[in-house]
Amino acid sequence: MNMEPGELVTSAPLAARLNIPSGPLFFPVTAYGPDGSVDLDTYRAHVRRGVEAGAAAVFACCGTGEFHALTPEEFEACVRVAVEAAEGRVPVVAGAGYGTALAVRYARLAEAAGADGLLAMPPYLVVAGQEGLLRHYREVAAAASLPVVVYQRDNAVFTPETVVGLARTDGIIGLKDGLGDLDLMQRIISAVRTEAPGDFLYFNGLPTAEQTQLAYRALGVTLYSSAVFCFAPELALAFHQALRTGDDRTVEKLLDGFFRPFVELRTQGRGYAVALVKAGVRLRGLDVGEVRPPLHEPAGDHVKQLAELIEHGYALLEEAK
Protein backbone atom coordinates (compact mmCIF):
# COMPACT_ATOMS: atom_id res chain seq x y z
CA MET A 1 0.00 0.00 0.00
CA ASN A 2 1.71 3.16 -1.21
CA MET A 3 0.30 6.37 0.26
CA GLU A 4 1.59 9.88 0.48
CA PRO A 5 1.84 11.56 3.89
CA GLY A 6 -1.38 13.46 4.59
CA GLU A 7 -3.46 11.39 2.13
CA LEU A 8 -6.88 10.38 3.40
CA VAL A 9 -6.66 6.71 4.35
CA THR A 10 -9.70 6.46 6.58
CA SER A 11 -10.87 3.17 5.03
CA ALA A 12 -7.54 1.40 5.56
CA PRO A 13 -7.08 -0.85 8.62
CA LEU A 14 -5.36 0.83 11.56
CA ALA A 15 -2.35 -1.51 11.41
CA ALA A 16 -1.72 -0.58 7.78
CA ARG A 17 -2.02 3.13 8.53
CA LEU A 18 0.39 2.94 11.46
CA ASN A 19 2.90 1.14 9.27
CA ILE A 20 3.10 4.05 6.84
CA PRO A 21 6.50 5.54 7.82
CA SER A 22 5.52 9.17 7.26
CA GLY A 23 6.53 10.60 10.64
CA PRO A 24 6.67 10.13 14.41
CA LEU A 25 3.70 9.02 16.49
CA PHE A 26 2.29 12.11 18.23
CA PHE A 27 1.17 11.92 21.86
CA PRO A 28 -0.40 15.35 22.52
CA VAL A 29 -0.60 16.88 25.97
CA THR A 30 -4.05 17.72 27.31
CA ALA A 31 -4.68 21.46 27.57
CA TYR A 32 -6.16 23.04 30.70
CA GLY A 33 -7.42 26.57 31.21
CA PRO A 34 -6.53 28.93 34.07
CA ASP A 35 -9.26 27.38 36.24
CA GLY A 36 -7.88 23.89 35.65
CA SER A 37 -10.70 22.70 33.39
CA VAL A 38 -10.00 21.09 30.02
CA ASP A 39 -9.45 23.71 27.31
CA LEU A 40 -10.81 22.03 24.19
CA ASP A 41 -10.05 24.93 21.85
CA THR A 42 -6.36 24.94 22.76
CA TYR A 43 -6.29 21.16 22.64
CA ARG A 44 -7.76 21.27 19.14
CA ALA A 45 -5.07 23.74 18.06
CA HIS A 46 -2.34 21.56 19.58
CA VAL A 47 -3.55 18.42 17.80
CA ARG A 48 -4.06 20.23 14.50
CA ARG A 49 -0.54 21.69 14.63
CA GLY A 50 0.90 18.23 15.19
CA VAL A 51 -0.99 16.73 12.29
CA GLU A 52 0.01 19.60 10.01
CA ALA A 53 3.64 19.26 11.15
CA GLY A 54 3.76 15.68 9.88
CA ALA A 55 2.67 13.27 12.63
CA ALA A 56 1.88 9.76 11.41
CA ALA A 57 -0.80 9.24 14.07
CA VAL A 58 -2.35 10.95 17.09
CA PHE A 59 -2.43 9.04 20.39
CA ALA A 60 -4.96 11.07 22.40
CA CYS A 61 -5.40 10.95 26.18
CA CYS A 62 -2.57 8.50 26.78
CA GLY A 63 0.36 8.86 29.20
CA THR A 64 1.63 12.21 27.94
CA GLY A 65 -1.99 13.34 27.71
CA GLU A 66 -2.56 12.70 31.44
CA PHE A 67 -5.14 9.95 30.96
CA HIS A 68 -4.93 9.30 34.70
CA ALA A 69 -6.16 12.84 35.47
CA LEU A 70 -9.21 12.95 33.18
CA THR A 71 -12.81 12.17 34.01
CA PRO A 72 -14.65 9.91 31.55
CA GLU A 73 -16.55 12.93 30.26
CA GLU A 74 -13.35 14.91 29.69
CA PHE A 75 -11.76 11.91 28.04
CA GLU A 76 -14.59 11.48 25.55
CA ALA A 77 -14.64 15.21 24.74
CA CYS A 78 -10.87 15.27 24.12
CA VAL A 79 -10.93 12.19 21.91
CA ARG A 80 -13.80 13.65 19.89
CA VAL A 81 -11.88 16.91 19.42
CA ALA A 82 -8.73 15.02 18.41
CA VAL A 83 -10.73 13.12 15.78
CA GLU A 84 -12.19 16.38 14.48
CA ALA A 85 -8.77 18.05 14.37
CA ALA A 86 -7.15 15.11 12.56
CA GLU A 87 -9.84 15.25 9.87
CA GLY A 88 -9.10 11.69 8.78
CA ARG A 89 -5.61 12.58 7.63
CA VAL A 90 -4.01 10.35 10.26
CA PRO A 91 -5.51 7.79 12.65
CA VAL A 92 -6.47 8.73 16.20
CA VAL A 93 -5.77 6.16 18.93
CA ALA A 94 -7.21 6.75 22.41
CA GLY A 95 -6.03 5.52 25.78
CA ALA A 96 -7.98 3.04 27.90
CA GLY A 97 -7.09 1.85 31.35
CA TYR A 98 -7.85 1.20 35.05
CA GLY A 99 -9.64 -1.99 36.07
CA THR A 100 -11.41 -4.10 33.47
CA ALA A 101 -14.86 -2.55 33.94
CA LEU A 102 -13.55 1.00 33.55
CA ALA A 103 -11.20 0.05 30.72
CA VAL A 104 -14.20 -1.39 28.88
CA ARG A 105 -16.10 1.83 29.50
CA TYR A 106 -13.25 3.95 28.14
CA ALA A 107 -13.01 1.68 25.10
CA ARG A 108 -16.67 2.28 24.33
CA LEU A 109 -16.37 6.02 24.96
CA ALA A 110 -13.44 6.16 22.54
CA GLU A 111 -15.43 4.28 19.92
CA ALA A 112 -18.40 6.63 20.35
CA ALA A 113 -16.05 9.62 19.96
CA GLY A 114 -14.81 8.31 16.61
CA ALA A 115 -11.36 6.96 17.53
CA ASP A 116 -9.63 4.56 15.15
CA GLY A 117 -8.04 2.42 17.86
CA LEU A 118 -7.09 1.97 21.50
CA LEU A 119 -3.88 1.97 23.51
CA ALA A 120 -4.70 -0.33 26.42
CA MET A 121 -2.70 0.78 29.44
CA PRO A 122 -1.91 -1.32 32.54
CA PRO A 123 -4.68 -2.21 34.99
CA TYR A 124 -4.93 -0.04 38.08
CA LEU A 125 -3.01 -0.91 41.26
CA VAL A 126 -2.98 -4.72 41.28
CA VAL A 127 -0.11 -6.92 40.14
CA ALA A 128 -1.91 -9.69 38.30
CA GLY A 129 -0.74 -13.04 36.98
CA GLN A 130 -0.40 -13.76 33.28
CA GLU A 131 -3.76 -15.54 33.05
CA GLY A 132 -5.56 -12.55 34.57
CA LEU A 133 -3.74 -10.05 32.36
CA LEU A 134 -4.63 -11.99 29.24
CA ARG A 135 -8.28 -12.14 30.29
CA HIS A 136 -8.28 -8.40 31.04
CA TYR A 137 -6.99 -7.37 27.61
CA ARG A 138 -9.25 -9.83 25.82
CA GLU A 139 -12.27 -8.30 27.54
CA VAL A 140 -11.13 -4.80 26.55
CA ALA A 141 -10.63 -5.94 22.95
CA ALA A 142 -14.08 -7.51 22.87
CA ALA A 143 -15.77 -4.41 24.28
CA ALA A 144 -15.57 -2.33 21.10
CA SER A 145 -14.81 -2.79 17.44
CA LEU A 146 -11.58 -0.78 17.72
CA PRO A 147 -8.16 -2.39 17.15
CA VAL A 148 -6.10 -2.53 20.34
CA VAL A 149 -2.42 -1.97 21.05
CA VAL A 150 -1.44 -3.31 24.49
CA TYR A 151 1.01 -1.26 26.55
CA GLN A 152 3.65 -3.26 28.46
CA ARG A 153 4.99 -1.36 31.47
CA ASP A 154 4.87 -1.15 35.27
CA ASN A 155 2.50 -3.86 36.55
CA ALA A 156 1.68 -5.23 33.08
CA VAL A 157 4.76 -7.21 32.03
CA PHE A 158 4.17 -10.21 29.80
CA THR A 159 5.86 -13.51 29.12
CA PRO A 160 6.39 -14.40 25.46
CA GLU A 161 3.62 -16.99 25.80
CA THR A 162 1.16 -14.35 26.98
CA VAL A 163 2.00 -12.07 24.06
CA VAL A 164 1.40 -15.01 21.71
CA GLY A 165 -2.03 -15.24 23.35
CA LEU A 166 -2.58 -11.52 22.80
CA ALA A 167 -1.51 -11.81 19.16
CA ARG A 168 -4.04 -14.61 18.64
CA THR A 169 -6.84 -12.48 20.09
CA ASP A 170 -9.25 -10.87 17.65
CA GLY A 171 -8.81 -7.12 17.71
CA ILE A 172 -5.37 -6.96 19.36
CA ILE A 173 -2.89 -5.75 16.74
CA GLY A 174 0.29 -4.85 18.63
CA LEU A 175 2.42 -4.37 21.71
CA LYS A 176 3.93 -1.11 22.91
CA ASP A 177 6.93 -1.67 25.16
CA GLY A 178 7.58 0.76 27.99
CA LEU A 179 9.74 -1.65 29.97
CA GLY A 180 13.02 -1.59 28.04
CA ASP A 181 14.05 -5.20 28.57
CA LEU A 182 15.51 -5.94 25.14
CA ASP A 183 16.16 -9.59 25.93
CA LEU A 184 12.48 -10.05 26.78
CA MET A 185 11.44 -8.13 23.66
CA GLN A 186 13.59 -10.33 21.44
CA ARG A 187 12.04 -13.45 22.97
CA ILE A 188 8.54 -12.00 22.54
CA ILE A 189 9.12 -11.12 18.89
CA SER A 190 10.60 -14.55 18.19
CA ALA A 191 7.75 -16.38 19.93
CA VAL A 192 5.03 -14.43 18.11
CA ARG A 193 6.81 -14.83 14.77
CA THR A 194 6.99 -18.58 15.36
CA GLU A 195 3.66 -19.33 17.00
CA ALA A 196 1.30 -16.59 15.78
CA PRO A 197 2.70 -15.42 12.45
CA GLY A 198 1.10 -12.32 10.99
CA ASP A 199 1.35 -8.56 10.99
CA PHE A 200 1.64 -7.97 14.74
CA LEU A 201 3.01 -4.49 15.48
CA TYR A 202 5.67 -3.50 18.00
CA PHE A 203 6.32 -0.03 19.38
CA ASN A 204 9.11 1.48 21.44
CA GLY A 205 7.15 3.23 24.18
CA LEU A 206 9.94 4.30 26.52
CA PRO A 207 10.02 7.97 27.59
CA THR A 208 11.91 10.00 24.96
CA ALA A 209 11.98 6.92 22.77
CA GLU A 210 14.43 8.50 20.35
CA GLN A 211 17.16 7.85 22.93
CA THR A 212 16.70 4.07 22.67
CA GLN A 213 15.35 3.71 19.14
CA LEU A 214 18.65 2.58 17.63
CA ALA A 215 18.55 -0.45 19.93
CA TYR A 216 14.89 -1.17 19.18
CA ARG A 217 15.48 -0.81 15.45
CA ALA A 218 18.06 -3.61 15.71
CA LEU A 219 15.20 -5.85 16.93
CA GLY A 220 13.07 -4.81 13.95
CA VAL A 221 10.93 -2.36 15.97
CA THR A 222 10.55 0.75 13.81
CA LEU A 223 7.52 2.41 15.42
CA TYR A 224 8.05 4.66 18.43
CA SER A 225 6.26 7.34 20.41
CA SER A 226 7.66 10.86 20.39
CA ALA A 227 6.83 13.22 23.24
CA VAL A 228 9.41 15.67 21.87
CA PHE A 229 7.18 16.05 18.80
CA CYS A 230 4.73 17.93 21.08
CA PHE A 231 7.05 20.93 21.41
CA ALA A 232 9.83 20.48 18.84
CA PRO A 233 8.29 18.70 15.85
CA GLU A 234 11.09 19.71 13.49
CA LEU A 235 13.67 18.01 15.72
CA ALA A 236 11.54 14.89 16.05
CA LEU A 237 10.92 14.77 12.31
CA ALA A 238 14.61 15.29 11.47
CA PHE A 239 15.57 12.41 13.75
CA HIS A 240 12.83 10.18 12.31
CA GLN A 241 13.92 10.95 8.76
CA ALA A 242 17.58 10.35 9.58
CA LEU A 243 16.75 6.94 11.05
CA ARG A 244 14.71 5.99 8.00
CA THR A 245 17.38 7.00 5.52
CA GLY A 246 20.42 5.71 7.41
CA ASP A 247 21.81 9.20 8.03
CA ASP A 248 23.91 8.16 11.01
CA ARG A 249 25.68 11.52 11.22
CA THR A 250 22.42 13.39 11.84
CA VAL A 251 21.16 10.70 14.22
CA GLU A 252 24.31 10.97 16.31
CA LYS A 253 24.35 14.78 16.23
CA LEU A 254 20.77 14.98 17.49
CA LEU A 255 21.29 12.25 20.09
CA ASP A 256 24.44 13.87 21.46
CA GLY A 257 23.32 17.49 21.20
CA PHE A 258 19.63 17.31 22.09
CA PHE A 259 18.03 13.99 23.05
CA ARG A 260 20.62 12.80 25.58
CA PRO A 261 20.72 16.20 27.37
CA PHE A 262 16.91 16.26 27.32
CA VAL A 263 16.76 12.80 28.92
CA GLU A 264 19.25 13.91 31.57
CA LEU A 265 17.09 16.95 32.31
CA ARG A 266 13.96 14.80 32.35
CA THR A 267 15.45 12.62 35.09
CA GLN A 268 15.77 15.63 37.42
CA GLY A 269 12.16 15.35 38.58
CA ARG A 270 9.46 12.73 39.00
CA GLY A 271 6.72 13.07 36.42
CA TYR A 272 8.91 15.18 34.14
CA ALA A 273 8.16 12.82 31.24
CA VAL A 274 4.84 14.71 31.16
CA ALA A 275 5.45 17.97 33.04
CA LEU A 276 8.62 18.91 31.16
CA VAL A 277 6.96 18.17 27.82
CA LYS A 278 4.04 20.39 28.75
CA ALA A 279 6.46 23.14 29.74
CA GLY A 280 8.08 22.75 26.33
CA VAL A 281 4.75 23.27 24.58
CA ARG A 282 4.21 26.48 26.56
CA LEU A 283 7.73 27.66 25.72
CA ARG A 284 6.89 27.27 22.03
CA GLY A 285 3.95 29.66 22.36
CA LEU A 286 0.86 27.54 23.07
CA ASP A 287 -0.54 27.90 26.59
CA VAL A 288 -1.70 24.39 27.44
CA GLY A 289 -1.76 25.10 31.16
CA GLU A 290 -0.08 23.22 33.98
CA VAL A 291 -0.20 19.52 34.82
CA ARG A 292 -2.86 18.26 37.20
CA PRO A 293 -2.03 16.65 40.55
CA PRO A 294 -0.43 14.37 41.53
CA LEU A 295 2.10 15.63 38.94
CA HIS A 296 3.84 18.93 39.63
CA GLU A 297 5.38 21.68 37.54
CA PRO A 298 9.12 21.63 36.73
CA ALA A 299 11.42 23.89 38.72
CA GLY A 300 12.05 27.29 37.17
CA ASP A 301 15.72 26.53 36.55
CA HIS A 302 14.77 23.32 34.76
CA VAL A 303 12.38 25.21 32.49
CA LYS A 304 15.18 27.67 31.72
CA GLN A 305 17.50 24.79 30.85
CA LEU A 306 14.80 23.34 28.62
CA ALA A 307 14.43 26.62 26.75
CA GLU A 308 18.18 26.74 26.15
CA LEU A 309 18.21 23.11 25.03
CA ILE A 310 15.40 23.68 22.54
CA GLU A 311 17.25 26.65 21.12
CA HIS A 312 20.41 24.56 20.81
CA GLY A 313 18.48 21.75 19.12
CA TYR A 314 17.17 24.08 16.43
CA ALA A 315 20.67 25.50 15.97
CA LEU A 316 21.85 21.96 15.24
CA LEU A 317 19.24 21.71 12.49
CA GLU A 318 20.45 24.97 10.97
CA GLU A 319 24.03 23.67 10.97
CA ALA A 320 22.92 20.56 9.11
CA LYS A 321 21.40 22.54 6.22
Side-chain angles (χ1 to χ4, degrees):
M1 182 181 295
N2 295 318
M3 301 179 187
E4 295 298 322
E7 183 180 344
L8 280 175
V9 291
T10 308
S11 61
L14 177 63
R17 298 176 73 185
L18 290 174
N19 261 329
I20 301 169
S22 58
L25 304 178
F26 174 35
F27 285 67
V29 301
T30 299
Y32 305 127
D35 63 352
S37 63
V38 171
D39 182 345
L40 293 176
D41 289 337
T42 301
Y43 183 67
R44 181 181 289 105
H46 179 46
V47 173
R48 183 177 292 124
R49 288 184 187 185
V51 172
E52 292 173 349
V58 175
F59 281 69
C61 304
C62 296
T64 307
E66 296 180 80
F67 171 81
H68 68 277
L70 299 174
T71 67
E73 294 77 18
E74 292 172 329
F75 167 85
E76 183 178 14
C78 286
V79 174
R80 193 176 301 278
V81 164
V83 170
E84 293 169 357
E87 297 179 326
R89 291 175 287 178
V90 298
V92 175
V93 179
Y98 301 119
T100 306
L102 277 176
V104 163
R105 181 182 178 190
Y106 277 100
R108 291 171 177 162
L109 288 174
E111 184 174 37
D116 298 289
L118 296 171
L119 178 63
M121 290 177 282
Y124 173 69
L125 191 61
V126 296
V127 178
Q130 297 295 299
E131 181 181 353
L133 288 171
L134 184 56
R135 180 182 174 189
H136 169 81
Y137 290 106
R138 283 178 166 169
E139 290 194 22
V140 173
S145 62
L146 300 179
V148 176
V149 175
V150 174
Y151 197 176
Q152 170 168 263
R153 59 175 291 173
D154 301 323
N155 59 327
V157 177
F158 310 109
T159 64
E161 293 75 19
T162 298
V163 181
V164 168
L166 292 172
R168 288 174 173 168
T169 300
D170 288 343
I172 296 181
I173 64 169
L175 178 75
K176 181 183 180 187
D177 180 52
L179 182 66
D181 184 336
L182 296 185
D183 174 81
L184 175 60
M185 279 300 295
Q186 180 63 81
R187 290 187 288 118
I188 285 171
I189 292 168
S190 177
V192 173
R193 183 170 58 230
T194 303
E195 301 176 39
D199 297 324
F200 199 65
L201 301 179
Y202 299 96
F203 304 75
N204 174 3
L206 290 173
T208 317
E210 287 91 346
Q211 181 69 14
T212 53
Q213 186 51 29
L214 281 171
Y216 275 84
R217 186 178 64 167
L219 299 181
V221 179
T222 59
L223 297 168
Y224 63 91
S225 55
S226 179
V228 167
F229 188 87
C230 288
F231 63 87
E234 296 85 358
L235 291 172
L237 282 164
F239 184 85
H240 187 273
Q241 175 70 8
L243 273 179
R244 284 178 55 199
T245 61
D247 182 358
D248 293 340
R249 181 175 177 274
T250 298
V251 167
E252 291 171 1
K253 178 176 283 191
L254 290 174
L255 281 174
D256 296 345
F258 177 79
F259 287 104
R260 178 178 58 81
F262 177 72
V263 168
E264 290 173 350
L265 180 58
R266 193 198 70 213
T267 61
Q268 297 303 303
R270 288 190 177 274
Y272 272 21
V274 177
L276 204 63
V277 170
K278 209 162 192 181
V281 178
R282 294 196 302 268
L283 285 169
R284 299 304 307 285
L286 187 65
D287 187 359
V288 290
E290 299 184 349
V291 291
R292 282 178 171 176
L295 299 180
H296 64 87
E297 286 298 297
D301 183 57
H302 292 158
V303 175
K304 181 181 177 181
Q305 291 178 51
L306 177 61
E308 293 170 350
L309 183 56
I310 293 171
E311 183 178 352
H312 179 65
Y314 279 94
L316 292 174
L317 291 186
E318 287 298 318
E319 292 173 7
K321 290 182 179 179

